[in-house]
Amino acid sequence: MSGPRRLGVPRRVAVEPDAAGRPLEVDGRTVDSVRESWLIEDRWWTERPLRRRYWEIVTTCGRNEIVFVDLFSQRWWRQR
Amino acid sequence: MFVMIVSVLLPRFALATALGDRGELLQTPCALAPEPGGVQKVGEVSPAAEALGLHPGLRLGESLARCPELTLVPPDPAGVADRWERLLVRLESIGAAVEPERPGLVCFEARGLLRLHGGIDGVLAAARRALRAPARFGVAPSRFAAVAAATRARSRRPEIVSGSGRAVARAYLASLPVSLLRARAALAELPDALERLGVRTLGELAGLPSAVLADRFGSLGLLAHELACGGDSPLHPRPPGEFLRESLDLPEAGSGVQLERGLGLLIDRLLARRERRGRTIRAVVISAVLVEQGGTWREQVVFREALSDPVRMRLALTPRLALMPAPADALRLAVERFGPLASDQRGLLEAPAEERAGRLREAIRQARVVAGPDAALRVLTVDPDSRFPERRAVLTPFEG
């Protein structure tokens, strides 16, 4: 084993947000409701700070997903 | 008996290693800063600092008083140990049985290598080629005389004392200053006292009756007299070693609980290494790269008894993490010495739980033989309370 392997690493996901940044579609599936949303900021004292807006959503087909947007790169990620 | 000791000296080895790619600082007054938590004395100093009266072992306050523009370089004990080990292995590759005195200074007996490399010049040329680093060579009949010769050698011209026996070594040392005794750690304080008493050369020291030196300095005085007379203890070459190390990068500059979990992970990985071949571990070295370019930290731990039990290793090693002076960017664990094979003798009455654990271990072993070391892994919780899910757990080799 070359090194410890992290679990729960975020994976890229295609999200269609509205003007306020709220996800409307995740991987082509329409979002039915947003259960929760929260902001996390960390490592602000380093050169690589982290700022993420998390969304826990339920799609119309019944999937429960957690996605977040990296507020620096504006890219969307899925996390379990 | 004919003895020919070769001494290899790499001047300012620790300082040059700590400077890394900032080698231009050697042209300015700079010195190795004291170890965190250690005695407040500077380490190796640059030539420019030496010209201003600084020397290794001088108190920090006095060093700054003598040279206010002195640059202090954070020590890099782990880097020094790594680089020194590499150089020693290179010397061993030419057949030399080396006895390292300290990082930057090593001796070996050349007698057995003369035929192999075609005389002493051939031995020195082979050592120079193997080292691939600028070094000074001294050759003499005693270890101390060889070290003294190496300090007088030029980088391209070795200092060779021809002949053998105490008399030759004594004659060579006679005109040299007593400050050379600082090369022996136990005698580091002696030259100042001797100079205050008017003894300036090793010849003058050798001319004194040994009883007088014993009266004044005790056993250290007798040792210094023996060295000045051309004597020394025989070399004790180190046994050829094996290099087994595991390291872990800590992207979040770990400390506290995270470091402890990281250490547990390193112990598991070290014990899972195939090269261990079932042997116990007698001594290990924990080292860390500190944050904000704070240098490195290194701690050697010798276990009370050779062991291969991860729980006991954690108990012995975890308290050492508290000695770390700053959070770490990377943590390393290396085996310094192996012990005997772990006992595999079965008890008379085997408990069912142990039997099951034994079967599990055997199954894991067989699975690893077939599918490689990643065949059996377990989830190790690293930082369960982290707000970022990807930091909470890692996969690590399963130890049954």
Side-chain angles (χ1 to χ4, degrees):
Chain A
M1 191 163 166
S2 56
R5 199 179 303 162
R6 286 190 184 278
L7 292 174
V9 178
R11 295 174 190 280
R12 288 301 303 276
V13 66
V15 173
E16 189 67 41
D18 64 9
R22 178 190 172 101
L24 299 175
E25 264 187 23
V26 174
D27 265 352
R29 298 185 183 93
T30 308
V31 174
D32 183 57
S33 65
V34 172
R35 296 187 62 184
E36 200 176 351
S37 173
W38 64 98
L39 178 71
I40 289 185
E41 293 188 344
D42 204 349
R43 294 180 61 83
W44 43 265
W45 59 93
T46 70
E47 291 176 358
R48 288 187 298 170
L50 292 173
R51 282 190 82 207
R52 295 176 180 176
R53 163 66 69 180
Y54 276 81
W55 300 87
E56 185 179 353
I57 51 104
V58 180
T59 59
T60 48
C61 60
R63 288 172 70 102
N64 190 338
E65 297 234 14
I66 296 179
V67 295
F68 69 84
V69 59
D70 185 323
L71 295 175
F72 290 112
S73 63
Q74 297 302 323
R75 288 181 177 164
W76 287 86
W77 303 80
R78 171 190 285 131
Q79 192 148 35
R80 291 185 190 279
Chain B
M1 189 177 67
F2 172 60
V3 176
M4 186 180 277
I5 308 282
V6 176
S7 174
V8 184
L9 174 68
L10 289 92
R12 300 180 177 86
F13 181 77
L15 180 61
T17 305
L19 283 173
D21 53 2
R22 295 173 294 163
E24 69 279 0
L25 275 177
L26 274 176
Q27 312 299 327
T28 65
C30 70
L32 274 182
E35 298 253 358
V39 186
Q40 292 297 298
K41 292 179 176 177
V42 295
E44 291 180 349
V45 301
S46 66
E50 208 168 66
L52 292 167
L54 271 63
H55 60 80
L58 195 64
R59 293 215 163 260
L60 183 60
E62 193 175 344
S63 304
L64 290 169
R66 287 186 190 185
C67 178
E69 67 272 24
L70 182 71
T71 306
L72 287 170
V73 181
D76 182 7
V80 167
D82 284 355
R83 188 169 165 228
W84 185 230
E85 176 64 28
R86 282 200 296 277
L87 293 178
L88 290 180
V89 169
R90 287 180 193 168
L91 272 183
E92 285 172 336
S93 71
I94 67 162
V98 298
E99 181 188 329
E101 300 243 342
R102 56 175 165 79
L105 181 61
V106 59
C107 295
F108 63 88
E109 166 68 79
R111 200 174 28 156
L113 302 174
L114 294 178
R115 283 194 170 186
L116 183 65
H117 296 289
I120 188 62
D121 292 331
V123 171
L124 297 184
R128 199 182 290 282
R129 277 196 306 274
L131 280 176
R132 301 198 295 272
R136 298 178 185 188
F137 293 88
V139 184
S142 82
R143 182 164 33 144
F144 178 66
V147 171
T151 59
R152 289 165 58 85
R154 302 289 178 84
S155 55
R156 286 271 161 205
R157 192 184 307 161
E159 176 95 351
I160 300 177
V161 182
S162 307
S164 65
R166 286 173 65 102
V168 172
R170 178 174 177 162
Y172 173 73
L173 292 169
S175 61
L176 301 182
V178 288
S179 59
L180 284 174
L181 292 170
R182 287 201 184 98
R184 198 60 60 92
L187 302 178
E189 309 285 340
L190 208 57
D192 287 341
L194 288 171
E195 282 169 0
R196 278 200 301 274
L197 294 168
V199 181
R200 301 196 179 281
T201 65
L202 292 168
E204 291 170 4
L205 179 64
L208 293 172
S210 56
V212 173
L213 287 164
D215 274 352
R216 180 69 181 80
F217 299 110
S219 60
L220 293 181
L222 288 175
L223 173 60
H225 188 257
E226 172 72 0
L227 296 180
C229 289
D232 204 345
S233 54
L235 284 185
H236 296 288
R238 68 171 194 165
E242 293 172 85
F243 192 64
L244 198 61
R245 187 174 78 174
E246 284 290 341
S247 61
L248 180 66
D249 288 335
L250 303 164
E252 289 95 32
S255 59
V257 178
Q258 288 182 36
L259 264 188
E260 288 176 21
R261 292 184 185 276
L263 179 64
L265 173 67
L266 288 179
I267 291 171
D268 286 348
R269 285 166 59 184
L270 207 60
L271 290 174
R273 288 282 289 265
R274 204 172 289 176
E275 299 94 315
R276 188 169 70 86
R277 297 195 299 274
R279 286 174 293 178
T280 51
I281 294 173
R282 191 77 187 85
V284 295
V285 172
I286 318 176
S287 57
V289 179
L290 305 178
V291 292
E292 305 292 338
Q293 298 186 335
T296 56
W297 168 85
R298 186 175 190 272
E299 184 81 11
Q300 186 202 40
V301 183
V302 180
F303 298 120
R304 197 173 293 171
E305 59 181 3
L307 48 90
S308 58
D309 178 4
V311 177
R312 290 176 65 195
M313 286 177 76
R314 274 186 203 118
L315 282 175
L317 296 179
T318 304
R320 306 297 178 116
L321 294 177
L323 303 175
M324 203 181 291
D329 270 341
L331 190 65
R332 297 174 187 150
L333 185 66
V335 177
E336 189 161 85
R337 207 161 62 249
F338 283 105
L341 283 171
S343 170
D344 198 22
Q345 190 174 8
R346 291 185 167 199
L348 184 62
L349 300 170
E350 215 163 13
E354 289 177 12
E355 195 177 342
R356 279 199 301 277
R359 283 184 195 160
L360 183 61
R361 277 197 297 273
E362 176 61 16
I364 291 170
R365 190 189 68 77
Q366 290 189 18
R368 282 195 174 133
V369 167
V370 175
D374 285 358
L377 303 171
R378 73 182 164 103
V379 176
L380 180 76
T381 310
V382 178
D383 190 3
D385 300 321
S386 174
R387 297 187 296 165
F388 296 92
E390 70 265 31
R391 292 187 192 165
R392 291 178 193 151
V394 294
L395 282 174
T396 173
F398 185 91
E399 284 296 307

